[in-house]
Amino acid sequence: MKKSTGRWVSGEDFFDREQDLKILKQQVQDHNHILLTGQRRMGKTSITQELGRQLQEDGWAYLFCDVEGAKCPEDVISELAYSARIARVSTKHVTDKLGRWVKKNFEEVDMTKLLRIKFRAGVDPGNWKQVGRGLLRDCAKNKKPVLIVIDELPIFLKRMLDQDQNAKRVDEFLSWLRGEFQQFSGKGPVLIVSGSIGLEPLVRRLDISDRINYFHAHRLGPWNRETCIRCFERLAESYGLSIENGVAESVYETLGIGIPQHVQSFFARLHDFSEMHQLGQIMVEHVDAVYHAALLGPSGQIDLAHYRSRLKDALVEKTYTIAETILAEAAIQDSFTPGDRKILEQEYGRIMDDAPYCIAEVLDVLTHDGYLVLNDDNCYHFSFRLLKDWWAATFRQNYVPIKGRKN
C-alpha cells in the first residue's frame, strides 16, 4: 500500500469502503443515477475510480469526466466525447460529425494529441444539446453497459452562474441532463455526479431542486476510529516504519475525525520526520510535534488552503464574508451559538435586507460540506481539529468575538 497525499487511489492502494462500494455497485447495476456527496478529502474521486475499475472487470465501460475547468456546456459535452473515445465506447454519431469538422480545418491530425481540440472545436452554443444527445444515445447502444462519472459538476455550475449572474443556463443545463438520462428508462448509461462543493445547497438556493430529483443520494462519511488505525498501521507496515504502541490511536485523536486524505497525509509527514531525523521508531510524543510543525506549519498549508478556496467556490462574495466570521467564531470560541446567530443577523441586517436568509444559506453550505456540525446543544462546532486549529491561527490575532462587539 502506497502513501497518497493528494492523488486519487485505486486497486491495491484503495483502502476500506467495502460497504460503500457494495451499495454503489448495486445501485449502478440497477441503473440508478447517483449523487455522491461528502465533505472534502473524503475520497469521492477514489471510490468512483475503484468502482469504475471493478465494473470494467465485470464487463462495463467506464467514462470519467472531470469538468472542474469547464466554463460552458460545450466544454462539458466535448469532455464527455473525449472520455468516451478514451474508454473506447462506440460514439459513431458524434465522432463522425466532429471528424468532418476536423478534416476541413486540419491537414494532418495527431489523434492522441488533438482529441480534445477535435471534440471541443466541433461543439458550439447552437449544437451542444444535439451533440450531447447523440453521445448519450451512442452510449445506450454500446455493446457494454456504460457508467459515466461527471466529477466537479457543482464547480462548473457555480462558475457558469458567476459568469451570467443568473440561474438561466444552470437551469437549462440541469434540465437538459435530467431529460436526457430519464428518457432511457433504466436501459441507457448510468450517471454519477460528484464534487468538492455541494450540489444540493446550490440548487436549493436557486430554487431548482427538482432538477436533481432523479438521483439516488449517497453520502460518503468519515472513517471510524478502528478503520483509521488499521489504515495507518497498514501504511507503516508497507514502508517498514516502526511505530510505538498508541501512535495510530494518537493520530486519530489528534485529527478528531477520520478523513482518509488527512490520515494519509499525517502518515506521510511522520514518515518524512523519521527519515530526516534517522529515527529507529516513531513515538507517541512525535505525533503532536509533527502535527504542529508539519500539518499546521508551512508544508501543510496547501492542504488546508484548499478548504478556503473551495468555500469561495461555493459562495458569493457577501456570503463568503459571513462564512469566514462564523468559522472564526466556532474556531476561536469553540462554537457558533444561537445567540451569536441573532447578533450576526442584526449586524449584517444593517447592510443587507436578506441577512437571516444569507446566514441560513451559509450554515447550510458549512454543514453540508463538512466544515461544521450541528450538535444537540443547537450550536455549530468543528469536528475536524486540524481545520479548527488552522482557522483559529489564521484569525485569532485580530478577531473580535461576536458577543464582544458593540451593536
Side-chain angles (χ1 to χ4, degrees):
M1 183 178 180
K2 297 178 183 178
K3 56 187 176 183
S4 169
T5 56
R7 61 181 177 86
W8 58 263
V9 296
S10 188
E12 293 182 358
D13 293 335
F14 188 82
F15 187 82
D16 195 66
R17 299 297 192 193
E18 288 88 357
Q19 190 61 32
D20 289 294
L21 272 170
K22 181 179 179 181
I23 293 170
L24 289 172
K25 194 172 185 179
Q26 187 62 60
Q27 290 289 346
V28 170
Q29 290 171 334
D30 290 343
H31 285 262
N32 292 315
H33 307 300
I34 299 167
L35 174 61
L36 185 61
T37 67
Q39 67 190 85
R40 288 152 185 64
R41 306 301 194 186
M42 203 58 75
K44 295 185 291 296
T45 300
S46 291
I47 201 170
T48 56
Q49 293 284 5
E50 177 61 15
L51 175 64
R53 186 190 70 82
Q54 292 187 14
L55 286 170
Q56 284 176 317
E57 291 182 348
D58 295 341
W60 282 64
Y62 172 53
L63 278 64
F64 181 82
C65 183
D66 185 346
V67 299
E68 180 175 354
K71 298 178 180 178
C72 56
E74 302 93 275
D75 290 342
V76 176
I77 299 304
S78 61
E79 280 297 311
L80 279 172
Y82 173 79
S83 300
R85 182 62 178 268
I86 295 300
R88 298 182 180 179
V89 170
S90 175
T91 54
K92 189 175 186 304
H93 172 87
V94 176
T95 53
D96 283 355
K97 180 181 179 65
L98 301 185
R100 288 192 296 270
W101 186 95
V102 173
K103 289 178 181 178
K104 292 179 182 178
N105 291 273
F106 294 94
E107 293 182 1
E108 295 182 4
V109 178
D110 182 332
M111 293 305 295
T112 301
K113 295 181 179 180
L114 295 180
L115 272 175
R116 278 196 168 92
I117 296 175
K118 168 185 176 180
F119 294 133
R120 180 61 186 89
V123 184
D124 58 51
N127 73 0
W128 69 263
K129 292 181 182 179
Q130 179 185 356
V131 174
R133 180 177 300 113
L135 170 63
L136 295 177
R137 289 179 179 176
D138 283 345
C139 287
K141 296 174 183 177
N142 194 61
K143 293 180 180 179
K144 297 179 179 180
V146 177
L147 169 63
I148 300 174
V149 173
I150 302 182
D151 198 21
E152 300 296 4
L153 179 67
I155 287 182
F156 154 64
L157 295 173
K158 179 61 168 50
R159 178 178 292 115
M160 197 160 57
L161 180 65
D162 290 343
Q163 290 171 347
D164 298 346
Q165 297 301 311
N166 66 63
K168 183 178 179 180
R169 280 207 300 167
V170 173
D171 188 357
E172 180 185 27
F173 181 83
L174 287 177
S175 296
W176 174 83
L177 196 68
R178 181 178 185 269
E180 292 301 325
F181 275 94
Q182 286 195 314
Q183 71 171 307
F184 298 116
S185 300
K187 297 180 181 179
V190 178
L191 175 64
I192 296 179
V193 300
S194 64
S196 52
I197 66 174
L199 178 58
E200 292 162 299
L202 176 62
V203 296
R204 278 198 296 268
R205 175 156 61 92
L206 300 178
D207 197 24
I208 53 172
S209 295
D210 61 319
R211 307 302 188 270
I212 63 170
N213 62 6
Y214 63 106
F215 285 110
H216 169 81
H218 183 88
R219 187 166 183 85
L220 207 59
W223 281 342
N224 60 26
R225 184 175 186 272
E226 179 185 356
T227 303
C228 289
I229 292 170
R230 284 195 294 111
C231 178
F232 190 92
E233 291 177 342
R234 176 84 66 82
L235 286 165
E237 181 181 357
S238 297
Y239 284 86
L241 180 65
S242 176
I243 58 175
E244 181 186 21
N245 288 337
V247 166
E249 291 83 350
S250 180
V251 165
Y252 175 76
E253 298 300 333
T254 300
L255 289 174
I257 186 173
I259 299 176
Q261 166 65 24
H262 291 288
V263 174
Q264 286 265 8
S265 180
F266 213 148
F267 172 81
R269 306 296 185 188
L270 284 165
H271 184 254
D272 291 346
F273 180 81
S274 173
E275 294 288 315
M276 284 189 293
H277 296 277
Q278 298 182 325
L279 301 176
Q281 186 180 53
I282 288 291
M283 312 295 286
V284 171
E285 65 192 57
H286 296 144
V287 173
D288 190 62
V290 170
Y291 174 77
H292 285 94
L295 272 74
L296 281 174
S299 61
Q301 294 304 300
I302 293 177
D303 273 351
L304 292 165
H306 181 262
Y307 283 87
R308 200 170 187 177
S309 64
R310 282 295 183 254
L311 188 58
K312 288 182 178 179
D313 289 335
L315 299 167
V316 297
E317 185 176 351
K318 71 175 183 178
T319 52
Y320 175 74
T321 302
I322 295 172
E324 285 206 322
T325 301
I326 292 173
L327 290 172
E329 183 73 18
I332 297 168
Q333 301 298 111
D334 292 327
S335 67
F336 178 74
T337 69
D340 296 328
R341 183 171 180 170
K342 289 181 180 179
I343 294 173
L344 213 59
E345 287 176 352
Q346 294 171 359
E347 187 175 290
Y348 277 92
R350 301 187 186 111
I351 57 174
M352 58 178 69
D353 296 331
D354 56 349
Y357 172 81
C358 288
I359 291 171
E361 178 192 328
V362 167
L363 290 169
D364 183 28
V365 170
L366 292 178
T367 52
H368 182 277
D369 291 358
Y371 292 85
L372 299 175
V373 294
L374 180 62
N375 288 355
D376 293 337
D377 58 4
N378 209 28
C379 297
Y380 292 86
H381 304 263
F382 280 91
S383 59
F384 183 23
R385 182 192 165 192
L386 177 61
L387 185 58
K388 177 180 185 290
D389 288 348
W390 180 74
W391 216 278
T394 302
F395 289 96
R396 180 177 285 115
Q397 185 174 357
N398 299 308
Y399 183 72
V400 178
I402 291 176
K403 288 186 175 66
R405 299 177 187 181
K406 293 181 179 179
N407 290 309

